[in-house]
Amino acid sequence: MDRELLKGSTPLLLLSLLSEAPMYGYQIIETVRQRTGGTYTVKEGALYPALHKLEAAEFITSYWETQQNGRERRYYAIQPAGQAFLKAKKKEWNQFVDMVEAFVGPKA
Amino acid sequence: MDRELLKGSTPLLLLSLLSEAPMYGYQIIETVRQRTGGTYTVKEGALYPALHKLEAAEFITSYWETQQNGRERRYYAIQPAGQAFLKAKKKEWNQFVDMVEAFVGPKA
DNA sequence: TGCGCGCTATCGTCTTGCGAGGCACAATGA
DNA sequence: TCATTGTGCCTCGCAAGACGATAGCGCGCA
């Protein structure tokens, strides 16, 4: 998959995922990999900066959670402002798809 | 419209447009502007570099044409290799849309 | 002891779109 | 006559994002 197409879609994906449930980094990577059947993998180098940016904007929060084995994980959870932002992003996404399809022709 | 989403979609749009008919730069800009009802405008700073790159890859060719008033226009026309590339790009585009929708939910 | 895995994260590089700018000539109109 | 607008080509420096590489650390297992 062409990497350039992905640009800008990462926050949308992240927010969508987190709106289902709080998740930690590694889990996000695995979930995306599995749900796309392996065709797409989020790379750490894209994930963490995006997550941090979302957090700085207060669209998500993070907290550490200790597992039974004593190890820690950092969970990320969506915030109300993030929900609103997600909604706007979805709309934008649909507009974008419609726009491209106006030139390329419908998906079918 | 978020500029970041656009990244990577430009070659697809350009090739799609040129597969309809050869066009010159200014015409491409105007066509895109009109067909999207003004919501999206290709900028020269994005257009020409993209066009030149497509030409360097031999997906399109260009030729100058003189108008009645003596002025010149550079037309860009798609090549067979460009048609093939366009086909592949379209497929990739559809995969990309499906992928995002697998997280965001269907458009409707 | 050493390897791989789960899990965190950063850095430099590359590509892309954008805004701003430059150049040239035609047509319009005050 | 001269200024403005529109047509038409193009380049440069910047910001943002994804990528590959890299790093660290504790655990379980052979």
Side-chain angles (χ1 to χ4, degrees):
Chain A
M1 169 99 57
D2 181 2
R3 343 110 72 99
E4 292 305 326
L5 271 182
L6 275 358
K7 295 200 174 180
S9 63
T10 304
L12 179 61
L13 289 191
L14 257 22
L15 254 12
S16 292
L17 229 30
L18 295 181
S19 76
E20 295 174 16
M23 300 179 88
Y24 55 95
Y26 193 82
Q27 186 184 11
I28 292 175
I29 293 172
E30 287 303 304
T31 302
V32 171
R33 209 174 51 74
Q34 282 173 30
R35 203 177 292 191
T36 60
T39 52
Y40 174 48
T41 310
V42 193
K43 306 298 162 46
E44 291 101 323
L47 211 219
Y48 290 105
L51 242 19
H52 296 337
K53 208 176 166 191
L54 250 17
E55 190 174 11
E58 300 190 6
F59 291 147
I60 62 176
T61 354
S62 69
Y63 52 91
W64 289 94
E65 213 166 280
T66 309
Q67 307 171 69
Q68 292 91 330
N69 61 20
R71 303 207 45 194
E72 298 210 276
R73 279 175 182 159
R74 163 112 91 160
Y75 278 83
Y76 296 90
I78 198 164
Q79 295 293 102
Q83 293 282 8
F85 186 66
L86 172 58
K87 204 175 161 189
K89 274 282 166 193
K90 277 190 185 178
K91 198 175 164 190
E92 206 176 84
W93 164 256
N94 286 328
Q95 283 178 357
F96 172 58
V97 172
D98 288 344
M99 193 272 281
V100 175
E101 286 183 353
F103 293 93
V104 177
K107 188 160 48 177
Chain B
M1 171 97 59
D2 181 3
R3 341 107 75 83
E4 292 304 324
L5 272 181
L6 274 0
K7 293 198 176 182
S9 63
T10 306
L12 179 60
L13 289 190
L14 258 22
L15 254 11
S16 291
L17 229 30
L18 295 180
S19 76
E20 295 174 17
M23 300 180 89
Y24 56 95
Y26 194 83
Q27 186 184 11
I28 291 174
I29 292 173
E30 286 303 304
T31 303
V32 171
R33 208 174 50 76
Q34 282 173 30
R35 204 178 290 190
T36 60
T39 52
Y40 173 49
T41 309
V42 193
K43 307 297 161 49
E44 289 109 321
L47 211 218
Y48 291 106
L51 242 20
H52 296 336
K53 208 176 167 190
L54 251 16
E55 190 174 12
E58 299 191 5
F59 291 147
I60 62 176
T61 354
S62 68
Y63 52 90
W64 290 94
E65 214 166 278
T66 309
Q67 308 172 67
Q68 291 92 330
N69 62 19
R71 300 204 50 189
E72 297 210 275
R73 279 173 182 161
R74 164 113 90 159
Y75 279 83
Y76 295 89
I78 198 165
Q79 295 294 101
Q83 294 282 9
F85 186 67
L86 172 58
K87 204 174 160 189
K89 274 283 167 193
K90 276 191 187 180
K91 198 174 163 190
E92 206 176 82
W93 164 255
N94 286 329
Q95 282 178 357
F96 172 58
V97 172
D98 287 345
M99 192 273 279
V100 175
E101 285 181 356
F103 293 93
V104 177
K107 189 159 49 178

